[in-house]
Amino acid sequence: MEFLNTFLKAAFIENLVLAYFLGMCSYLAVSKSVQTAFGLGLAVIFVLGITMPINWLISEYLLSESGLLGVDLTFLRFILFIAVIASMVQLVEMVVEKYSPSLYSALGIFLPLITVNCAILGGSLFMVSREYNLSNAVAFGLGGGFGWFLAIIAIAAIREKIRYSNVPPALRGLGMAFILTGLMGIAFMSLMGIDPAAFTTNG
Amino acid sequence: MAETAVKEKESVFQFGKKERKLLTDPLNDNNPITVQVLGICSALAVTSLVYPSLVMAIAVIFVTAFSSLFTSLLRNYIPKSVRMIVQLVIIASLVTVVELTLKYLNYPVYKQLSVYIGLIITNCIVMGRLEAFSMANKPWRSFLDGVGNGLGYGVILVAVGVVRELFGKGSLFAGSPIELKIIGPTADYLVNTTDSMLFGWYANNNLMVLPASAMFIIGIMIWIQRSYNTKLVDVS
């Protein structure tokens, strides 16, 4: 039950894109067509789902003072987390290249860029600061990835349609994408019965 | 012999037209946020107040400047196949330095920024500048490029912070030593008048406190910038 709770919360209420702005770079850059957005979304779910438990094990058994080494190594957290993420992304890249070359060429540069997708590292850092246990960490990873997936599919679909609308030239493309994301953020907020305090970092 | 040595030393730190362009270009024509769309990730969530935005901007300027400098110094020794990892290690170490310094200097702001300090690592501006500029340029110019891009990022961050805090809370620099309450019923505008005659009617707009408002503000900023700078308009 707790698993499902964390999953739903991560996917809808605390959506990584719409409530925390994580992974905005690839979210804005790859959301021009639904097909590529779909592929990238799946890759993000996969990478988040894998890196979260691995980083949990690392921070629990290697870096904390009560871990195996008995020394407080939390200052190494950033470097180790990013190393795990980079190697996992490399793995995903090789798998995608082998089994779906068309997706591989469609994603292009953005596949290696998942490494610097803030949603992945942000997920791991949230996991540490919220002191999740292992099952919650997995749920948070999968739920967060799913939420990211939903958000990028939604914006890609809207952007495909809005291309035929008469938007002021200066607002075309990027500007419109920002405003649409803001509107979607407000729409997602109604899922929790508006409670701004839970949404702001300063709340 | 001695003369040439002096000349070389001068050319290392020269500051001419090209160097100035490195600093000013990212402020408008090549702004990291509104034009290159890089580094939005860790930026928007901290902008609900000006003071944390300012701290974040300084942290990012520090990281972009020094990661560019170090990468550029090491650029001839980094094998191409592992360059991403090397860059990430450089960035992650600098961010760790920033994190620990901020934790020591100003714990409340450190708590407010929470994970977003760590997320400077995955801030695409830093990686983007290393890949696009530092790997191919001399240290001094890379350093300037890093400072310029950090500034371009910081300007937008603080501008969004000002709008959001002013209209959302009626104050500026809340949480810092020079906190100002500017508009709204209890405003003490410059002098400590409890009722500001000018803006006493203003009720705080809670929309501005929500993260979504940052998206609207940046969207509108892009709109304004592209209306004046028409060569940036998206033609696709």
Side-chain angles (χ1 to χ4, degrees):
Chain A
M1 204 57 227
E2 206 193 342
F3 186 89
L4 192 65
N5 199 0
T6 314
F7 180 88
L8 291 176
K9 208 170 147 197
F12 296 106
I13 300 167
E14 297 181 340
N15 188 293
L16 286 174
V17 178
L18 301 170
Y20 292 110
F21 302 114
L22 297 179
M24 290 303 299
C25 308
S26 28
Y27 168 84
L28 288 171
V30 191
S31 59
K32 281 181 183 153
S33 87
V34 174
Q35 209 189 354
T36 41
F38 188 82
L40 188 73
L42 286 183
V44 166
I45 295 181
F46 184 71
V47 175
L48 257 176
I50 288 187
T51 53
M52 209 66 100
I54 295 180
N55 281 344
W56 186 85
L57 291 173
I58 285 182
S59 78
E60 193 71 13
Y61 290 111
L62 211 60
L63 297 181
S64 78
E65 203 165 0
S66 56
L68 296 177
L69 299 176
V71 195
D72 186 15
L73 292 174
T74 41
F75 66 91
L76 285 176
R77 191 189 289 149
F78 292 157
I79 297 181
L80 274 183
F81 280 9
I82 203 75
V84 167
I85 292 168
S87 38
M88 280 303 132
V89 169
Q90 196 78 52
L91 196 73
V92 172
E93 194 180 352
M94 288 185 317
V95 170
V96 172
E97 190 178 10
K98 179 134 198 265
Y99 291 104
S100 173
S102 62
L103 182 60
Y104 180 76
S105 59
L107 289 177
I109 177 75
F110 293 105
L111 204 50
L113 277 184
I114 295 182
T115 312
V116 283
N117 187 327
C118 331
I120 315 282
L121 183 65
S124 289
L125 293 176
F126 272 128
M127 170 194 79
V128 172
S129 71
R130 290 176 187 171
E131 296 169 353
Y132 281 141
N133 60 23
L134 183 56
S135 81
N136 265 344
V138 176
F140 184 69
L142 292 174
F146 184 65
W148 202 90
F149 173 81
L150 278 184
I152 195 170
I153 294 283
I155 189 95
I158 299 174
R159 284 181 79 174
E160 269 190 4
K161 290 274 181 275
I162 213 162
R163 201 167 299 151
Y164 306 108
S165 310
N166 190 14
V167 177
L171 204 54
R172 247 169 235 166
L174 193 57
M176 213 53 216
F178 270 101
I179 290 174
L180 286 173
T181 311
L183 289 173
M184 270 165 57
I186 289 180
F188 259 64
M189 229 163 48
S190 59
L191 287 168
M192 67 176 304
I194 299 172
D195 178 15
F199 270 98
T200 52
T201 47
N202 309 305
Chain B
M1 196 70 186
E3 247 182 42
T4 53
V6 169
K7 218 175 189 178
E8 263 171 20
K9 205 169 188 184
E10 272 174 1
S11 67
V12 170
F13 289 110
Q14 64 180 333
F15 193 83
K17 220 174 191 172
K18 264 187 189 165
E19 280 72 18
R20 189 172 317 135
K21 202 163 157 44
L22 285 177
L23 276 180
T24 56
D25 213 33
L27 292 180
N28 182 12
D29 284 349
N30 210 3
N31 189 286
I33 292 187
T34 61
V35 182
Q36 302 176 48
V37 213
L38 295 177
I40 300 157
C41 332
S42 61
L44 300 189
V46 304
T47 52
S48 66
L49 294 173
V50 181
Y51 190 48
S53 324
L54 200 63
V55 174
M56 183 74 179
I58 294 169
V60 169
I61 292 173
F62 174 83
V63 174
T64 47
F66 284 95
S67 63
S68 292
L69 178 68
F70 292 139
T71 312
S72 178
L73 284 171
L74 293 171
R75 70 185 187 283
N76 296 327
Y77 308 100
I78 300 176
K80 216 172 166 64
S81 52
V82 295
R83 68 180 194 284
M84 291 277 231
I85 308 279
V86 176
Q87 289 164 1
L88 280 173
V89 169
I90 293 176
I91 301 169
S93 325
L94 282 166
V95 171
T96 310
V97 171
V98 169
E99 195 212 10
L100 294 176
T101 316
L102 185 64
K103 199 174 176 179
Y104 170 70
L105 287 177
N106 198 333
Y107 193 71
V109 171
Y110 169 79
K111 270 279 162 211
Q112 264 179 4
L113 291 175
S114 66
V115 298
Y116 293 98
I117 283 286
L119 287 175
I120 298 176
I121 300 176
T122 50
N123 194 323
C124 327
I125 305 174
V126 188
M127 268 301 245
R129 288 333 286 173
L130 296 188
E131 274 287 290
F133 199 89
S134 314
M135 289 301 279
N137 282 283
K138 293 217 166 89
W140 172 238
R141 298 193 61 201
S142 305
F143 181 77
L144 287 178
D145 181 73
V147 173
N149 276 281
L151 273 177
Y153 169 93
V155 165
I156 299 285
L157 209 59
V158 173
V160 176
V162 166
V163 175
R164 284 183 73 182
E165 190 177 343
L166 193 60
F167 294 111
K169 295 216 160 88
S171 60
L172 279 181
F173 298 103
S176 77
I178 50 161
E179 179 170 350
L180 284 174
K181 193 89 172 64
I182 298 202
I183 54 176
T186 54
D188 40 302
Y189 177 58
L190 295 181
V191 283
N192 277 329
T193 49
T194 39
D195 282 313
S196 157
M197 293 298 284
L198 275 174
F199 299 109
W201 47 267
Y202 185 81
N204 288 342
N205 184 351
N206 279 329
L207 175 70
M208 287 294 164
V209 184
L210 300 176
S213 71
M215 304 305 293
F216 297 135
I217 295 168
I218 294 197
I220 292 167
M221 276 180 177
I222 293 175
W223 190 4
I224 295 170
Q225 189 193 14
R226 291 188 180 183
S227 305
Y228 285 104
N229 207 338
T230 44
K231 64 174 181 266
L232 298 175
V233 171
D234 199 343
V235 281
S236 63

